[in-house]
């Protein structure tokens, strides 16, 4: 939807060929998927549980500052692992092929106030199917921000740097509200629909359990360390929220990422769908540890092409995907975390102000104007 | 407060501590075989029996309720990262002192699980277990005369019986291609030497298949014997007919191993068992569409295989993944993505 379509040089035959090449990459991983992948996720889950257990144990003595520091750091990392490399990816069905009912998208529940079931619908179904389509993909600005020049400006957007910061601090609550489509559902009629009420109730139940655990039970168990433990769990949740928010902003917000019009996905072919995922996502470059801590969402492009491939395979897939970007002369948007985070925030600030309509109209738009 | 109530209170408190996980998720890390855990077992040894059969010694979890001789157990084994379930007869006596159980597995050609267990299973491996089940068992009252009629791996449940209870008068007819294929041969010959068993081995490679009419000559008093028969369908069909003809069918107990042989075809009758609808499906239309056209309420999502919002249990038959061509066969616990799966032969979808 930017003025110049970066895929204009591709013929429809080329796009379909690209789709076939991507399918081949996917098939290769699936044919090779096996024991070592299963061992990987089991190891990660076991490490996360042990880290959480030990950190919570250390926090029982968080009245001593070193214990507070170690416990809080450990718990923050454990919570990030639970949300990113484990929860997000299991809920995508990446590990369903193992047929282990304990590591399965239909049974997994994560350390997050949004119940798995609701998140799967808004994320896996809406966001991943309609990636970056304005009006269809609510992840674009989460309904509170303007993230593209072509979106209509409203004085409300002046505050979007602030909304975004608050959202980052309480990201899990933001996601829960987002999964409930609160903005849309708070009007009188929708608020009373039994379906919405059931979902709101489920979120309420989940929030109650999470809050009870983090802010009541564990501090109480710590006895004299009540307050330090309370502070520690709050800090861990804050760290996790800021981190996941940053990683997720890097996925679709940095400069160079394309957004699409609703009309453009009508009758979309498999090749075109793949192309949209390629142009609508951005990566984070970095070390193995960085990829792990982002739940491999640093490979957002690969994840959007193949959301159900095991996350530990994205790194090897990325080499092949990148080669295809080069072959088809497309821009592979990537960069180190600080650069990508800055880029995304820059956009949030820039678009909080109104802008001129782009001068060069897309052919689509011209036709629409003629028709009008 | 009673101790049970107290325990359940404590458990509830623990659940609050571990939420959204369960206390068992943590306990499984250290003690997967403890009481109260999902039933599992640990492979402790693998003893070769013949060229293609082996006995697996398993230490069952504390929740194991014990079996009756002749019963089988379903086990879930992770092979290439995928959990597969199969049923095997228990070959250990019920009073084994160390509490271990054994199954004896014969590798069948192309059998994923059987080949894995016989050739690659390693001591220390955790497997999933179900409680033992099956009604191919000895009666409470001791019969005076017993006949065991077995072939191939059909000897396994009978070996469980032989090891469990000694009868005064036991005859066994066992069929196997060659002498070296007879599972438990040394032990059987030991029983014969101790005069605890009269054994006739039929080596089908040289003797040909057992003709059930020869029974009169091999065991003249067979009609007076309580008989347990286990082996291929052909043998059991012939036995059932023979016992019926002589009006002694109530003396015959049979057990059929049903290897799940699914012949993957192209399309077939799809049954939606919850709603009770059956429709004819081709091999190219997603089962989600088939179900919706038939008026079945199907869960759905992205309709392109990425969101996993349409996963549904496959109870019987086989389906083909329309993207990769991969065939998935029904097994307990198998879920399929209906939006990218088509019928590969008749199948049953739980909807």
């Amino acid at each position: 939807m930017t003025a110049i379509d970066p895929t204009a040089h591709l013929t429809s035959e080329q796009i379909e060929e690209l789709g076939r090449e991507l399918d081949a990459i996917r098939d290769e991983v699936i044919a090779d998927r096996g024991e070592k992948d299963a061992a990987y996720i089991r190891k990660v889950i076991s490490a996360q549980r042990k880290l959480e257990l030990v950190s919570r144990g250390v926090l029982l003595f968080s009245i001593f500052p070193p214990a507070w520091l170690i416990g809080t750091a450990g718990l923050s990392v454990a919570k990030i692992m639970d949300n990113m490399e484990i929860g997000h990816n299991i809920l995508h069905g990446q590990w369903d092929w193992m047929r282990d009912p304990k590591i399965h998208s239909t049974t997994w529940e994560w350390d997050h106030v949004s119940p798995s079931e609701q998140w799967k619908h808004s994320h896996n179904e809406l966001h991943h199917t309609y990636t970056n389509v304005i009006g269809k993909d609510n992840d674009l600005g989460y309904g509170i921000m303007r993230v593209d020049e072509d979106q209509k400006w409203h004085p409300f957007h002046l505050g979007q740097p602030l909304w975004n910061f608050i959202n980052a601090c309480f990201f899990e609550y933001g996601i829960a509200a987002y999964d409930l489509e609160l903005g849309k559902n708070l009007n009188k009629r929708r608020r009373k629909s039994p379906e919405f009420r059931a979902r709101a109730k489920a979120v309420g139940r989940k929030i109650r359990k999470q809050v009870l655990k983090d802010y009541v039970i564990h501090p109480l168990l710590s006895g004299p360390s009540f307050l330090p433990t309370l502070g520690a769990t709050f800090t861990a949740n804050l760290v996790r929220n800021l981190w996941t928010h940053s990683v997720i902003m890097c996925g679709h917000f940095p400069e160079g990422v394309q957004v699409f019009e609703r009309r453009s996905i009508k009758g979309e072919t498999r090749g075109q769908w793949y192309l949209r995922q390629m142009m609508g996502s951005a990566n984070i470059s970095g070390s193995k540890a960085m990829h792990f801590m982002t739940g491999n969402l640093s490979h957002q492009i690969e994840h959007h092409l193949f959301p159900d491939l095991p996350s530990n395979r994205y790194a090897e897939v990325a080499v092949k995907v990148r080669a295809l970007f080069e072959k088809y002369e497309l821009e592979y948007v990537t960069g180190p975390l600080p650069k990508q985070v800055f880029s995304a925030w820059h956009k949030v600030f820039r678009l909080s102000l109104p802008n001129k309509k782009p001068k060069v109209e897309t052919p689509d738009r011209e036709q629409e104007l003629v028709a009008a | 407060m009673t101790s049970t109530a107290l325990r359940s209170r404590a458990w509830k408190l623990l659940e609050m501590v571990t939420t959204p996980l369960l206390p068992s998720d943590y306990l499984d890390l250290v003690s997967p075989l403890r009481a109260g855990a999902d039933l599992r077992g640990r492979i402790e040894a693998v003893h070769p029996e013949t060229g293609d059969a082996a006995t697996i010694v398993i230490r069952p979890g504390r929740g194991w309720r014990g079996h009756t001789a002749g019963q089988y157990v379903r086990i879930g084994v992770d092979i290439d990262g995928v959990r597969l379930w199969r049923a095997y007869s228990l070959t250990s006596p019920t009073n084994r002192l160390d509490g271990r159980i054994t199954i004896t597995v014969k590798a069948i050609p192309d059998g994923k699980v059987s080949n894995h267990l016989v050739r690659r299973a390693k001591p220390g491996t955790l497997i999933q277990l179900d409680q033992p089940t099956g009604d191919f068992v000895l009666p409470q009252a001791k019969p005076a005369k017993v006949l065991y009629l077995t072939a191939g791996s059909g000897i396994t449940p009978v070996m469980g019986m032989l090891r469990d209870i000694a009868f005064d008068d036991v005859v066994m007819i066992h069929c196997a291609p060659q002498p070296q294929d007879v599972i438990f041969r040394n032990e059987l010959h030991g029983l014969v030497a101790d005069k605890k068993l009269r054994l006739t081995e039929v080596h089908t490679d040289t003797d040909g298949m057992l003709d059930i009419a020869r029974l009169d000559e091999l065991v003249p008093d067979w009609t007076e014997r309580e008989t347990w028969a286990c082996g291929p369908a052909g043998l059991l069909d012939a036995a059932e007919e023979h016992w019926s003809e002589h009006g002694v069918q109530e003396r015959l107990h049979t057990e059929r191993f049903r290897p799940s042989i699914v012949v993957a075809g192209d399309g077939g009758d799809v049954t939606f068992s919850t709603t009770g609808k059956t429709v004819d499906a081709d091999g190219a239309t997603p089962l989600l569409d088939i179900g919706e056209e038939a008026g079945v309420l199907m869960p759905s999502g992205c309709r392109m295989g990425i969101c996993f919002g349409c996963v549904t249990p496959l109870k019987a038959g086989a389906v083909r993944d329309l993207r990769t061509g991969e065939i998935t066969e029904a097994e307990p616990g198998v879920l399929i993505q209906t939006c990218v799966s088509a019928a590969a032969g008749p199948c049953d979808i739980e909807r």
Side-chain angles (χ1 to χ4, degrees), chain B residues 215-235:
Chain B
L215 203 59
D216 283 323
E217 132 207 357
L218 295 171
V219 193
D221 58 353
W222 66 270
T223 52
E224 295 162 28
R225 290 177 179 272
E226 204 69 21
T227 302
W228 282 267
C230 184
L235 175 72

Side-chain angles (χ1 to χ4, degrees), chain A residues 51-166:
Chain A
L51 178 61
E52 175 158 357
L53 214 56
V54 170
S55 305
R56 299 236 186 228
V58 170
L59 285 176
L60 295 178
F61 310 97
S62 54
I63 200 161
F64 305 108
W68 189 92
L69 265 178
I70 293 168
T72 306
L75 188 59
S76 303
V77 173
K79 279 180 172 265
I80 287 170
M81 283 168 76
D82 177 89
N83 272 202
M84 306 298 269
E85 183 67 343
I86 302 174
H88 170 269
N89 295 332
I90 289 175
L91 293 178
H92 260 293
Q94 289 182 6
W95 303 98
D96 280 15
W97 57 273
M98 286 163 59
R99 298 187 186 175
D100 180 344
K102 302 222 166 191
I103 308 177
H104 201 278
S105 64
T106 54
T107 57
W108 193 265
E109 192 56 71
W110 56 349
D111 184 54
H112 196 288
V113 296
S114 181
S116 292
E117 209 45 52
Q118 297 191 19
W119 181 83
K120 272 193 294 183
H121 171 73
S122 64
H123 180 85
N124 292 5
E125 190 183 330
L126 302 181
H127 168 56
H128 272 271
T129 314
Y130 303 111
T131 311
N132 285 24
V133 176
I134 290 183
K136 289 283 243 180
D137 177 7
N138 294 330
D139 271 37
L140 265 180
Y142 299 106
I144 55 170
M145 283 188 299
R146 182 168 171 260
V147 291
D148 190 77
E149 273 81 357
D150 278 7
Q151 280 175 305
K152 212 177 154 215
W153 182 83
H154 189 275
F156 171 80
H157 291 124
L158 281 173
Q160 72 179 23
L162 180 65
W163 316 147
N164 198 36
F165 178 70
I166 297 172

Side-chain angles (χ1 to χ4, degrees), chain B residues 32 55 70 104 138 157 188 261 264 273 325 346:
Chain B
T55 290
T104 303
L138 296 174
L188 290 173
I261 297 169
S273 44

Side-chain angles (χ1 to χ4, degrees), chain B residues 189-209:
Chain B
H189 286 197
L191 288 172
V192 171
D194 293 346
K195 303 225 172 349
K196 288 179 178 159
L197 174 72
R198 276 185 287 152
L199 172 71
T200 305
E201 278 180 43
V202 179
H203 303 133
T204 52
D205 274 2
T206 45
D207 308 344
M209 291 297 198

Side-chain angles (χ1 to χ4, degrees), chain A residues 26-27 30 33-35 38 42 46 48-50 52-53 56 91-94 96-102 104-106 108-112 120 124-125 128-129 206 209-210 212-213 217-218 221 270 273 307-308, chain B residues 13 15-21 24-26 28-30 38 40 78-85 116 128 300-309 311 321 323-324 326-335 337:
Chain A
R26 180 176 185 276
D27 293 350
I30 287 185
R33 196 171 61 179
E35 203 169 325
R42 291 213 165 91
S46 147
Q48 190 278 337
R49 285 176 185 168
K50 287 172 189 156
E52 175 158 357
L53 214 56
R56 299 236 186 228
L91 293 178
H92 260 293
Q94 289 182 6
D96 280 15
W97 57 273
M98 286 163 59
R99 298 187 186 175
D100 180 344
K102 302 222 166 191
H104 201 278
S105 64
T106 54
W108 193 265
E109 192 56 71
W110 56 349
D111 184 54
H112 196 288
K120 272 193 294 183
N124 292 5
E125 190 183 330
H128 272 271
T129 314
K206 188 78 194 285
K209 279 186 170 178
Q210 291 289 108
L212 197 65
K213 169 192 65 160
I217 308 269
H218 281 283
L221 285 174
R270 181 139 186 89
W273 183 83
D308 60 343
Chain B
L13 182 76
E15 280 179 359
M16 283 199 275
V17 170
T18 60
T19 195
L21 297 174
S24 62
D25 291 321
Y26 289 99
D28 283 352
L29 291 177
V30 286
D38 288 354
R40 302 183 184 93
D78 292 343
I79 300 170
D80 294 333
V82 183
R83 183 158 301 165
L84 300 172
W85 287 84
H116 176 88
Q128 313 299 312
S300 68
C302 66
R303 294 178 179 269
M304 55 190 299
I306 59 166
C307 85
F308 287 68
V311 292
D321 187 315
R323 300 165 300 177
T324 58
E326 192 191 353
I327 299 287
T328 301
E329 290 171 20
E331 266 179 57
V334 166
L335 300 163
Q337 291 175 273

Side-chain angles (χ1 to χ4, degrees), chain A residues 151-189:
Chain A
Q151 280 175 305
K152 212 177 154 215
W153 182 83
H154 189 275
F156 171 80
H157 291 124
L158 281 173
Q160 72 179 23
L162 180 65
W163 316 147
N164 198 36
F165 178 70
I166 297 172
N167 188 33
C169 294
F170 300 96
F171 194 48
E172 60 172 328
Y173 291 89
I175 294 287
Y178 164 76
D179 291 345
L180 277 174
E181 297 182 82
L182 260 196
K184 180 165 110 189
N185 282 318
L186 273 186
N187 71 55
K188 239 186 190 165
R189 193 172 48 86

Side-chain angles (χ1 to χ4, degrees), chain B residues 272-287:
Chain B
F272 296 94
S273 44
T274 314
T275 27
K277 284 196 173 127
T278 300
V279 283
D280 183 40
D282 60 45
T285 312
L287 289 162

